[in-house]
Amino acid sequence: MTSVTRRHFLAGSGLSLIGASLCRSLIAEAQSGPPKRLLVVHRPNGSRGDQFFPGGGSSTSFQLPYISAPFEPVKADMVLLGGFDVPVLESWAFDSHGMGIIAMMTGTKPVPIAGFGPAPEDVHIAAGGISIDQIFAAQATALKGNLKPSLQLAGTALSSSSAGDAGPRCLSYAGSGANGALFPETRPDVALANIFGNFAPSTNPAPTGPDAAQSRAAQFRKGVLDQVAADVTRLRARIPVSQRPKLDEHLMAIQGLAAQVSTGGSPGGLGCGKPSLSALVGSGDEGVHIETSRQMLQIIKSSFACDLSRIATFQFAPALSELQFAQVLPQDVKLQDGHHTISHQGDADGISARARIDRFYAELLAEALLDMKNTPDGPNTTLLDNTLVVYFSEIDDGEGHGNQNICTALFGGKSWGLQGGRYVELGNRSSRDFWSTVAQVLSVPLSQFGDSVHPAMSPISGLFA
């Protein structure tokens, strides 16, 4: 039998995978602090720049207008990006919505999926290459080393593979075409089972009081470590005597980590815990859209806190979404049309239905961001500090269908060097330039991202320290 290295030991199976991931996380935290994470969030059908971006003030002193106002509690952790473009070419001649997502995430020209629609704008499409999150999952050392290399989740069944083609419904691609599309999971209970497996928390009485959340998280982490230690003990009896000293080293390290957790001395934050999801109440996509989105964002937050994954993409709803917001927000949206149809309507009424819908998505994300901001992730740092969140739509405006000056914002990322509390005017810089900037922070050699027909990429100075 070959030598039992730490890598081979931690690469166990079943429940041990969760324990292995947590062990790696704790060991890494002890050596270099909490890990970095990346979350890309998409909401559909464009926005209104005049109600998303500040209308006055300075780059560091400004008032958030109607749509972005829900981000006020995390304003100090926010960077609004004006002049943010996606590299869509007129010659591509496909629908702007699908092209916008594909250009943002892969920088490639879409490839048609045969058999749909007689006109170019009706042709179903997929990306022509790998998406940036999958590039980082494969190449960024800071984002590796966990159970799930990346997560793909969405807030409505309209984003599932059975609902239609990849273009509007996919943020992540492992390769070109429909076969490379990584469709998001749209069922929270399935996502929870896939990510957290069959782990059962400790059977000790649930802690109560002002420190209950941290105590429950510590109990969760110790429960994992105790079960991994039991796995090691069982393994010890099945290996040659000559290999046992190395395994005993691992066992002692795990027992030491468990002791740290039980006494509150974990080198990482105590935000790890398996989320408890209530049953979705409601019918149809509209009836469960709010709660599905909240639960998916909670699953992402918990998977990050437990270091089960460090990369996630989340789509509130697909591009061209026709969710009927008269059912989702009956007190605020009276129009019976679907969201995409509403996004084409004028704004003579001031705060229009389409602005209210975009604010609604900001409200849901703001809830999740504040939860991450309140989740400890190590000494004097939070989960939001260590997570770079990218929030975008696929087009600039529902009426114009342009791909310039997309209403985009960044959140968190303090440990990445992101300087929050700013409104940065980029002056029509491409999303390819943006991703090359992120790649630079991650020490990933992103020499070419997307099609070679685009200009050479140039990192954006001043976004990260």
Coordinates of all heavy atoms in Angstrom, one line a residue, residues 49 62 109 139 218 224 299 325 359 451:
G49 N -30.8 53.2 -15.8 CA -29.6 53.8 -15.2 C -29.8 55.0 -14.4 O -29.1 55.2 -13.4
F62 N -22.3 60.0 -2.2 CA -23.4 60.0 -3.1 C -24.6 59.4 -2.5 O -24.5 58.6 -1.5 CB -23.0 59.3 -4.4 CG -22.5 57.9 -4.3 CD1 -23.3 56.8 -4.1 CD2 -21.1 57.7 -4.2 CE1 -22.8 55.5 -3.9 CE2 -20.6 56.4 -4.0 CZ -21.5 55.3 -3.9
K109 N -18.7 34.6 -29.2 CA -19.8 34.7 -30.1 C -20.7 33.5 -29.8 O -20.2 32.3 -29.7 CB -19.4 34.7 -31.6 CG -20.6 34.7 -32.5 CD -20.0 34.6 -34.0 CE -21.2 34.5 -35.0 NZ -20.7 34.5 -36.4
Q139 N -8.1 27.2 -12.7 CA -6.8 27.8 -12.6 C -6.4 28.6 -11.4 O -5.3 28.9 -11.1 CB -6.6 28.7 -13.9 CG -6.7 27.9 -15.2 CD -6.4 28.8 -16.4 OE1 -5.6 29.7 -16.3 NE2 -7.0 28.5 -17.5
A218 N -20.3 26.1 15.7 CA -19.2 25.3 16.3 C -19.6 23.9 16.5 O -18.8 23.0 16.2 CB -18.8 26.0 17.6
V224 N -18.7 17.3 12.4 CA -18.0 16.8 11.3 C -16.6 16.2 11.6 O -16.3 15.1 11.2 CB -17.8 18.0 10.2 CG1 -16.9 17.5 9.1 CG2 -19.2 18.4 9.7
I299 N -28.2 28.8 0.7 CA -27.4 27.7 0.4 C -26.0 28.1 0.0 O -25.0 27.5 0.4 CB -28.1 26.8 -0.6 CG1 -29.4 26.1 0.0 CG2 -27.1 25.7 -1.1 CD1 -30.2 25.4 -1.0
F325 N -45.2 39.7 -12.4 CA -45.0 40.3 -11.1 C -46.3 40.8 -10.5 O -46.3 41.2 -9.3 CB -43.9 41.4 -11.2 CG -42.5 40.8 -11.0 CD1 -41.9 40.2 -12.1 CD2 -41.9 40.8 -9.8 CE1 -40.7 39.6 -11.9 CE2 -40.7 40.2 -9.6 CZ -40.0 39.6 -10.7
R359 N -35.8 46.9 -8.5 CA -35.5 47.2 -7.1 C -35.8 45.9 -6.2 O -35.1 45.7 -5.2 CB -36.4 48.3 -6.6 CG -36.3 48.7 -5.1 CD -37.2 49.7 -4.7 NE -37.3 49.9 -3.2 CZ -36.8 50.8 -2.5 NH1 -36.0 51.7 -3.1 NH2 -36.9 50.8 -1.2
D451 N -13.5 35.4 -27.8 CA -13.1 35.4 -29.2 C -11.9 36.4 -29.5 O -11.9 37.5 -28.9 CB -14.3 35.8 -30.1 CG -15.4 34.7 -30.1 OD1 -15.1 33.6 -29.8 OD2 -16.6 35.1 -30.2

